[in-house]
Coordinates of all heavy atoms in Angstrom, one line a residue:
R1 N 4.2 -19.3 -3.6 CA 4.4 -19.0 -5.0 C 6.0 -18.6 -5.2 O 6.4 -17.7 -4.3 CB 3.5 -18.0 -5.5 CG 2.1 -18.3 -5.6 CD 1.7 -19.4 -6.7 NE 0.3 -19.5 -6.7 CZ -0.4 -20.6 -6.3 NH1 0.3 -21.5 -5.7 NH2 -1.6 -20.6 -6.4
F2 N 6.6 -19.1 -6.1 CA 7.9 -18.7 -6.3 C 8.1 -17.4 -7.1 O 7.2 -17.3 -7.9 CB 8.7 -19.7 -7.1 CG 9.1 -21.0 -6.3 CD1 8.2 -22.1 -6.4 CD2 10.2 -21.0 -5.4 CE1 8.4 -23.2 -5.7 CE2 10.4 -22.1 -4.6 CZ 9.5 -23.2 -4.8
L3 N 8.9 -16.4 -6.8 CA 9.0 -15.2 -7.6 C 9.6 -15.6 -8.9 O 10.4 -16.5 -9.0 CB 10.0 -14.2 -6.8 CG 9.4 -13.7 -5.4 CD1 10.5 -12.7 -4.9 CD2 8.1 -13.0 -5.6
R4 N 9.1 -14.9 -9.9 CA 9.7 -15.1 -11.3 C 11.1 -15.2 -11.4 O 11.7 -15.9 -12.3 CB 9.0 -14.2 -12.3 CG 7.6 -14.6 -12.6 CD 7.0 -13.7 -13.8 NE 5.6 -14.2 -14.0 CZ 5.2 -14.6 -15.2 NH1 6.0 -14.8 -16.1 NH2 3.9 -15.0 -15.4
N5 N 11.8 -14.3 -10.7 CA 13.3 -14.2 -10.9 C 14.0 -15.2 -10.0 O 15.1 -15.2 -10.1 CB 13.7 -12.7 -10.5 CG 13.4 -12.4 -9.0 OD1 12.9 -13.2 -8.2 ND2 13.5 -11.2 -8.7
G6 N 13.3 -16.0 -9.3 CA 13.8 -17.2 -8.6 C 14.7 -16.7 -7.2 O 15.3 -17.6 -6.6
T7 N 14.3 -15.5 -6.8 CA 15.1 -15.1 -5.7 C 14.2 -15.3 -4.3 O 14.9 -15.1 -3.2 CB 15.3 -13.7 -5.7 OG1 14.1 -12.8 -5.8 CG2 16.2 -13.2 -6.9
G8 N 13.0 -15.7 -4.4 CA 12.3 -15.9 -3.1 C 11.0 -16.7 -3.3 O 10.7 -17.1 -4.3
L9 N 10.3 -16.8 -2.2 CA 9.1 -17.6 -2.2 C 8.2 -16.8 -1.2 O 8.5 -16.5 -0.3 CB 9.4 -19.0 -1.5 CG 8.1 -19.8 -1.2 CD1 7.5 -20.4 -2.5 CD2 8.5 -21.0 -0.3
V10 N 6.9 -16.6 -1.8 CA 5.9 -16.0 -1.1 C 5.0 -17.0 -0.6 O 4.5 -17.8 -1.3 CB 5.1 -15.0 -2.0 CG1 4.0 -14.2 -1.1 CG2 6.0 -13.8 -2.4
Y11 N 4.6 -17.0 0.7 CA 3.7 -18.1 1.3 C 2.7 -17.4 2.2 O 3.0 -16.3 2.8 CB 4.5 -19.2 1.8 CG 5.4 -18.8 3.0 CD1 4.9 -18.9 4.3 CD2 6.6 -18.3 2.9 CE1 5.6 -18.5 5.4 CE2 7.4 -17.9 3.9 CZ 7.0 -18.0 5.2 OH 7.7 -17.7 6.2
Q12 N 1.7 -18.2 2.5 CA 0.7 -17.8 3.4 C 0.8 -18.5 4.8 O 1.1 -19.6 4.8 CB -0.7 -18.0 2.9 CG -1.8 -17.5 3.8 CD -3.2 -17.9 3.2 OE1 -3.3 -18.5 2.1 NE2 -4.3 -17.6 3.8
A13 N 0.9 -17.7 5.8 CA 1.1 -18.3 7.1 C 0.1 -17.7 8.2 O -0.2 -16.6 8.0 CB 2.6 -18.1 7.5
P14 N -0.2 -18.5 9.1 CA -1.2 -17.9 10.2 C -0.4 -17.0 10.9 O 0.8 -16.8 11.0 CB -1.4 -19.2 11.1 CG -0.9 -20.4 10.3 CD 0.1 -20.0 9.3
P15 N -1.2 -16.0 11.4 CA -2.7 -15.9 11.5 C -3.2 -14.9 10.4 O -3.5 -13.7 10.8 CB -3.0 -15.5 12.8 CG -1.9 -14.6 13.2 CD -0.6 -15.0 12.5
F16 N -3.2 -15.1 9.2 CA -3.7 -14.2 8.2 C -2.8 -13.3 7.5 O -2.9 -12.2 7.6 CB -4.9 -13.4 8.7 CG -5.9 -14.2 9.5 CD1 -6.0 -13.9 11.0 CD2 -6.6 -15.1 9.0 CE1 -6.8 -14.6 11.7 CE2 -7.5 -15.9 9.8 CZ -7.5 -15.6 11.1
G17 N -1.7 -13.8 7.0 CA -0.7 -12.9 6.5 C 0.1 -13.6 5.3 O 0.1 -14.8 5.2
F18 N 0.9 -12.8 4.6 CA 1.7 -13.2 3.6 C 3.2 -13.0 3.9 O 3.4 -11.7 4.4 CB 1.3 -12.5 2.2 CG 0.0 -13.0 1.6 CD1 -1.1 -12.2 1.7 CD2 -0.1 -14.2 0.9 CE1 -2.3 -12.6 1.3 CE2 -1.4 -14.7 0.4 CZ -2.5 -13.8 0.6
W19 N 4.1 -13.9 3.7 CA 5.4 -13.7 4.0 C 6.3 -14.0 2.7 O 5.9 -14.7 1.9 CB 5.8 -14.8 5.1 CG 5.1 -14.5 6.3 CD1 3.7 -14.8 6.7 CD2 5.6 -13.9 7.6 NE1 3.5 -14.3 8.0 CE2 4.6 -13.8 8.6 CE3 6.9 -13.3 7.9 CZ2 4.6 -13.1 9.8 CZ3 7.0 -12.8 9.1 CH2 6.0 -12.7 10.1
L20 N 7.5 -13.4 2.8 CA 8.5 -13.7 1.8 C 9.7 -14.3 2.4 O 10.3 -13.8 3.4 CB 8.9 -12.4 1.1 CG 10.1 -12.4 0.1 CD1 9.7 -13.2 -1.0 CD2 10.5 -11.0 -0.2
L21 N 10.1 -15.4 1.8 CA 11.4 -16.1 2.1 C 12.4 -15.6 1.1 O 12.3 -16.1 -0.1 CB 11.3 -17.7 2.2 CG 12.4 -18.6 2.3 CD1 13.3 -18.0 3.7 CD2 12.2 -19.9 2.4
D22 N 13.4 -15.0 1.6 CA 14.5 -14.5 0.5 C 15.5 -15.8 0.6 O 16.2 -16.0 1.6 CB 15.2 -13.3 1.2 CG 16.1 -12.6 0.1 OD1 16.9 -13.4 -0.5 OD2 16.0 -11.5 -0.1
F23 N 15.8 -16.2 -0.7 CA 16.7 -17.4 -0.6 C 18.2 -17.0 -0.5 O 19.0 -17.7 0.1 CB 16.7 -18.1 -2.1 CG 15.3 -18.7 -2.4 CD1 14.7 -18.7 -3.6 CD2 14.6 -19.4 -1.2 CE1 13.6 -19.4 -3.9 CE2 13.4 -20.0 -1.5 CZ 12.9 -19.9 -2.7
A24 N 18.5 -15.8 -0.9 CA 19.9 -15.3 -0.7 C 20.3 -15.1 0.6 O 21.4 -15.5 1.1 CB 20.2 -14.0 -1.6
T25 N 19.4 -14.4 1.5 CA 19.7 -14.1 2.8 C 19.1 -15.2 3.9 O 19.5 -15.0 5.0 CB 19.2 -12.7 3.2 OG1 17.8 -12.7 3.1 CG2 19.9 -11.6 2.3
K26 N 18.3 -16.1 3.4 CA 17.6 -17.0 4.3 C 16.8 -16.4 5.3 O 16.7 -16.9 6.5 CB 18.7 -18.1 4.8 CG 19.3 -18.9 3.7 CD 20.2 -19.8 4.1 CE 20.8 -20.7 3.1 NZ 22.0 -20.3 2.7
T27 N 16.3 -15.3 5.1 CA 15.4 -14.5 6.1 C 13.9 -14.5 5.6 O 13.7 -14.6 4.4 CB 16.0 -13.1 6.3 OG1 16.0 -12.3 5.0 CG2 17.5 -13.2 7.0
T28 N 13.1 -14.2 6.5 CA 11.6 -14.0 6.2 C 11.2 -12.7 6.6 O 11.7 -12.0 7.6 CB 10.7 -15.0 6.8 OG1 11.0 -15.0 8.1 CG2 11.1 -16.5 6.3
R29 N 10.3 -12.0 5.9 CA 9.6 -10.8 6.2 C 8.2 -10.9 5.8 O 7.8 -11.5 4.8 CB 10.4 -9.6 5.7 CG 10.3 -9.5 4.3 CD 11.0 -8.2 3.8 NE 11.1 -8.1 2.4 CZ 10.2 -7.3 1.8 NH1 9.3 -6.5 2.4 NH2 10.3 -7.3 0.4
Q30 N 7.4 -10.2 6.7 CA 5.9 -10.2 6.5 C 5.7 -9.2 5.4 O 6.2 -8.0 5.4 CB 5.2 -9.8 7.8 CG 3.7 -10.0 7.6 CD 3.0 -10.0 8.9 OE1 3.4 -9.5 9.8 NE2 1.9 -10.6 8.9
L31 N 4.9 -9.5 4.4 CA 4.5 -8.6 3.3 C 3.2 -8.0 3.6 O 2.9 -6.8 3.2 CB 4.5 -9.4 2.0 CG 5.7 -10.0 1.4 CD1 5.5 -10.8 0.3 CD2 6.8 -9.0 1.3
A32 N 2.3 -8.8 4.2 CA 0.9 -8.1 4.4 C 0.3 -9.0 5.5 O 0.5 -10.1 5.6 CB 0.0 -8.4 3.1
R33 N -0.6 -8.2 6.2 CA -1.3 -8.8 7.3 C -2.8 -8.5 7.0 O -3.2 -7.3 6.7 CB -0.9 -8.0 8.7 CG -1.7 -8.7 9.8 CD -1.4 -8.0 11.1 NE 0.0 -8.4 11.4 CZ 0.4 -8.3 12.6 NH1 -0.3 -7.9 13.5 NH2 1.8 -8.6 12.9
L34 N -3.5 -9.7 7.1 CA -5.0 -9.4 6.7 C -5.8 -9.6 8.1 O -5.4 -10.2 9.0 CB -5.5 -10.5 5.7 CG -4.7 -10.7 4.5 CD1 -5.1 -11.8 3.8 CD2 -4.8 -9.4 3.7
S35 N -7.0 -8.9 8.1 CA -7.9 -9.1 9.2 C -8.5 -10.5 9.2 O -8.5 -11.2 8.0 CB -9.0 -8.0 9.2 OG -9.7 -8.1 8.0
N36 N -9.2 -10.9 10.1 CA -9.8 -12.1 10.3 C -11.3 -12.2 9.8 O -12.2 -12.4 10.5 CB -9.8 -12.7 11.6 CG -10.3 -14.2 11.7 OD1 -10.6 -14.8 10.7 ND2 -10.5 -14.7 12.9
H37 N -11.4 -11.7 8.4 CA -12.7 -11.5 7.8 C -12.8 -12.4 6.6 O -12.9 -12.0 5.5 CB -13.0 -10.1 7.5 CG -13.2 -9.2 8.7 ND1 -14.0 -9.3 9.5 CD2 -12.3 -8.2 9.1 CE1 -14.0 -8.3 10.6 NE2 -12.8 -7.7 10.3
G38 N -12.7 -13.7 6.8 CA -12.8 -14.7 5.7 C -11.5 -15.5 5.5 O -10.6 -15.3 6.2
A39 N -11.6 -16.5 4.6 CA -10.6 -17.4 4.4 C -10.0 -17.1 3.1 O -10.8 -17.1 2.0 CB -11.1 -18.8 4.5
V40 N -8.6 -17.0 3.1 CA -7.9 -16.9 1.7 C -7.8 -18.3 1.2 O -7.2 -19.2 1.8 CB -6.6 -16.3 1.8 CG1 -5.9 -16.2 0.5 CG2 -6.9 -14.8 2.3
R41 N -8.3 -18.6 0.0 CA -8.3 -20.0 -0.6 C -7.1 -20.1 -1.5 O -6.5 -21.3 -1.4 CB -9.6 -20.3 -1.3 CG -10.9 -20.4 -0.3 CD -12.1 -20.8 -1.0 NE -12.5 -19.6 -1.8 CZ -13.7 -19.5 -2.5 NH1 -14.6 -20.6 -2.4 NH2 -14.0 -18.5 -3.2
T42 N -6.8 -19.2 -2.2 CA -5.9 -19.2 -3.2 C -5.2 -18.0 -3.5 O -5.9 -17.0 -3.3 CB -6.1 -20.1 -4.5 OG1 -5.0 -20.1 -5.3 CG2 -7.2 -19.2 -5.2
F43 N -3.9 -17.7 -3.9 CA -3.4 -16.6 -4.2 C -2.4 -16.6 -5.3 O -1.9 -17.8 -5.6 CB -2.8 -15.8 -3.0 CG -1.4 -16.5 -2.5 CD1 -0.2 -15.9 -2.9 CD2 -1.4 -17.6 -1.6 CE1 0.9 -16.5 -2.5 CE2 -0.4 -18.2 -1.2 CZ 1.0 -17.6 -1.6
D44 N -1.8 -15.6 -5.8 CA -0.9 -15.6 -6.9 C -0.2 -14.3 -6.8 O -0.5 -13.3 -6.3 CB -1.4 -15.8 -8.4 CG -0.5 -16.5 -9.4 OD1 0.7 -16.7 -9.0 OD2 -1.0 -16.9 -10.4
I45 N 1.0 -14.2 -7.6 CA 1.8 -13.0 -7.6 C 1.7 -12.5 -9.0 O 1.7 -13.3 -10.0 CB 3.3 -13.5 -7.2 CG1 3.4 -14.1 -5.9 CG2 4.2 -12.1 -7.3 CD1 2.9 -13.4 -4.8
T46 N 1.6 -11.1 -9.2 CA 1.5 -10.6 -10.5 C 2.9 -10.8 -11.2 O 4.0 -11.0 -10.5 CB 1.1 -9.2 -10.5 OG1 2.1 -8.4 -9.7 CG2 -0.2 -8.8 -9.9
P47 N 2.9 -10.8 -12.5 CA 4.2 -11.0 -13.2 C 5.2 -10.2 -13.0 O 6.4 -10.5 -13.0 CB 3.7 -10.9 -14.7 CG 2.3 -11.3 -14.8 CD 1.7 -10.7 -13.5
D48 N 5.0 -8.9 -12.5 CA 6.0 -8.0 -12.2 C 6.4 -8.2 -10.7 O 7.4 -7.5 -10.3 CB 5.7 -6.5 -12.4 CG 4.4 -6.0 -11.6 OD1 3.9 -6.9 -10.8 OD2 3.9 -5.0 -11.8
G49 N 5.8 -9.1 -10.0 CA 6.2 -9.4 -8.6 C 5.8 -8.3 -7.6 O 6.2 -8.3 -6.5
K50 N 5.1 -7.3 -8.0 CA 4.6 -6.2 -7.1 C 3.5 -6.3 -6.3 O 3.1 -5.5 -5.4 CB 4.7 -4.8 -7.9 CG 6.1 -4.5 -8.4 CD 6.0 -3.2 -9.3 CE 7.3 -2.8 -9.7 NZ 7.5 -1.5 -10.4
Q51 N 2.6 -7.2 -6.8 CA 1.2 -7.3 -6.1 C 0.9 -8.9 -5.8 O 1.3 -9.7 -6.6 CB 0.1 -6.7 -6.9 CG 0.3 -5.1 -7.1 CD -0.8 -4.6 -7.9 OE1 -1.7 -5.4 -8.4 NE2 -0.7 -3.3 -8.3
I52 N 0.1 -9.0 -4.8 CA -0.4 -10.4 -4.4 C -1.9 -10.3 -4.9 O -2.5 -9.4 -4.4 CB -0.2 -10.7 -3.0 CG1 1.2 -10.7 -2.6 CG2 -0.9 -12.0 -2.6 CD1 1.5 -10.9 -1.1
V53 N -2.3 -11.3 -5.6 CA -3.7 -11.3 -6.0 C -4.3 -12.6 -5.3 O -3.7 -13.6 -5.4 CB -3.9 -11.5 -7.5 CG1 -5.3 -11.6 -8.0 CG2 -3.1 -10.3 -8.3
F54 N -5.5 -12.3 -4.5 CA -6.0 -13.5 -3.9 C -7.5 -13.4 -3.8 O -8.1 -12.4 -4.0 CB -5.5 -13.6 -2.5 CG -5.7 -12.3 -1.6 CD1 -6.8 -12.3 -0.8 CD2 -4.9 -11.3 -1.6 CE1 -7.1 -11.2 0.0 CE2 -5.1 -10.2 -0.7 CZ -6.3 -10.2 0.1
D55 N -8.2 -14.5 -3.6 CA -9.5 -14.3 -3.3 C -9.9 -14.8 -1.8 O -9.1 -15.5 -1.2 CB -10.3 -15.4 -4.2 CG -10.0 -16.9 -3.9 OD1 -9.1 -17.2 -3.3 OD2 -10.9 -17.8 -4.3
R56 N -11.0 -14.2 -1.3 CA -11.2 -14.5 0.0 C -12.7 -14.8 0.2 O -13.5 -14.0 -0.4 CB -10.9 -13.1 0.8 CG -10.9 -13.3 2.3 CD -9.9 -12.5 3.0 NE -10.5 -11.2 3.4 CZ -9.7 -10.4 4.2 NH1 -8.4 -10.8 4.6 NH2 -10.3 -9.3 4.7
A57 N -13.0 -15.8 0.9 CA -14.4 -16.2 1.1 C -14.8 -15.9 2.5 O -14.1 -16.1 3.4 CB -14.6 -17.8 0.8
R58 N -16.1 -15.5 2.6 CA -16.7 -15.1 4.0 C -18.0 -15.7 4.0 O -18.8 -15.6 3.3 CB -16.8 -13.5 4.0 CG -16.3 -13.0 5.2 CD -16.1 -11.6 5.1 NE -17.2 -10.9 5.8 CZ -17.3 -9.6 6.0 NH1 -16.3 -8.8 5.5 NH2 -18.2 -9.1 6.7
D59 N -18.2 -16.4 5.2 CA -19.6 -16.9 5.5 C -20.3 -15.7 6.1 O -19.9 -15.2 7.1 CB -19.5 -18.1 6.5 CG -18.8 -19.3 5.9 OD1 -18.9 -19.5 4.7 OD2 -18.4 -20.1 6.7
N60 N -21.3 -15.3 5.4 CA -22.0 -14.1 5.8 C -23.5 -14.3 5.7 O -24.2 -13.6 4.9 CB -21.6 -12.9 5.1 CG -22.0 -11.6 5.7 OD1 -22.4 -11.6 6.9 ND2 -21.9 -10.6 4.9
S61 N -24.1 -15.4 6.2 CA -25.5 -15.6 6.0 C -26.1 -16.0 7.4 O -25.4 -16.5 8.3 CB -25.7 -16.7 5.0 OG -25.1 -17.9 5.4
D62 N -27.4 -15.6 7.5 CA -28.2 -15.9 8.7 C -29.3 -16.8 8.2 O -29.9 -16.6 7.2 CB -28.6 -14.7 9.4 CG -27.6 -13.8 9.9 OD1 -26.6 -14.3 10.5 OD2 -27.7 -12.6 9.9
V63 N -29.6 -17.8 9.1 CA -30.8 -18.7 8.8 C -31.8 -18.3 9.9 O -31.5 -18.4 11.1 CB -30.4 -20.2 8.8 CG1 -31.7 -21.0 8.7 CG2 -29.4 -20.5 7.8
V64 N -33.0 -17.9 9.3 CA -34.0 -17.5 10.2 C -35.3 -18.3 10.0 O -35.6 -18.6 8.8 CB -34.4 -16.1 10.1 CG1 -35.5 -15.6 11.0 CG2 -33.2 -15.1 10.2
L65 N -35.9 -18.9 11.1 CA -37.1 -19.6 10.9 C -38.3 -18.7 11.4 O -38.4 -18.0 12.4 CB -37.1 -20.8 11.9 CG -38.5 -21.6 12.0 CD1 -38.9 -22.1 10.6 CD2 -38.3 -22.6 13.1
I66 N -39.2 -18.5 10.4 CA -40.4 -17.7 10.6 C -41.6 -18.7 10.6 O -41.9 -19.3 9.7 CB -40.7 -16.6 9.5 CG1 -39.3 -15.8 9.5 CG2 -41.8 -15.8 9.8 CD1 -39.3 -14.7 8.3
E67 N -42.3 -18.7 11.8 CA -43.5 -19.6 12.0 C -44.7 -18.7 11.8 O -44.8 -17.8 12.6 CB -43.3 -20.3 13.3 CG -42.3 -21.3 13.4 CD -42.3 -22.1 14.7 OE1 -43.3 -22.0 15.4 OE2 -41.3 -22.8 14.8
L68 N -45.4 -19.1 10.9 CA -46.8 -18.3 10.7 C -47.8 -18.9 11.6 O -47.9 -20.1 11.8 CB -47.2 -18.4 9.3 CG -46.2 -17.7 8.3 CD1 -46.7 -18.0 6.9 CD2 -46.0 -16.3 8.7
Q69 N -48.8 -18.1 12.2 CA -49.9 -18.5 13.0 C -50.9 -19.2 12.1 O -51.1 -18.9 11.0 CB -50.5 -17.4 13.8 CG -49.7 -16.7 14.7 CD -50.4 -15.6 15.4 OE1 -51.5 -15.1 14.9 NE2 -49.9 -15.1 16.5
K70 N -51.4 -20.3 12.7 CA -52.4 -21.1 11.8 C -53.8 -20.7 12.2 O -54.2 -20.2 13.1 CB -52.3 -22.6 12.2 CG -51.0 -23.2 11.7 CD -50.9 -24.6 11.9 CE -49.5 -25.1 11.4 NZ -49.4 -26.6 11.6

């Protein structure tokens, strides 16, 4: 996502983090590092540019077969 003031680009890069590309200095810096507990599907930047809003999905289900005696 481009910052509203046009000075940079926030992007998601492996392994589970958000980075900022500063157009003026042509440098990158890590903004946030996430644990490996789910997949970030989409994200956005708040209008003031101070927060990253994202959703994260996690597979957290178990399948169990229960066989009853006949």
Side-chain angles (χ1 to χ4, degrees):
R1 302 283 188 251
F2 291 98
L3 297 180
R4 283 187 179 242
N5 61 9
T7 61
L9 172 74
V10 175
Y11 62 97
Q12 184 183 359
F16 319 110
F18 291 103
W19 293 77
L20 171 67
L21 171 60
D22 187 317
F23 295 145
T25 62
K26 297 183 176 98
T27 59
T28 59
R29 68 180 175 99
Q30 189 169 24
L31 299 174
R33 178 180 295 202
L34 305 174
S35 62
N36 185 10
H37 295 292
V40 175
R41 293 183 289 190
T42 185
F43 73 95
D44 207 350
I45 308 297
T46 56
D48 61 5
K50 294 183 179 182
Q51 295 179 1
I52 300 171
V53 181
F54 61 93
D55 69 337
R56 192 149 97 167
R58 226 167 106 167
D59 291 332
N60 194 17
S61 61
D62 295 321
V63 177
V64 178
L65 173 64
I66 301 173
E67 292 184 10
L68 301 174
Q69 292 180 346
K70 292 182 180 183

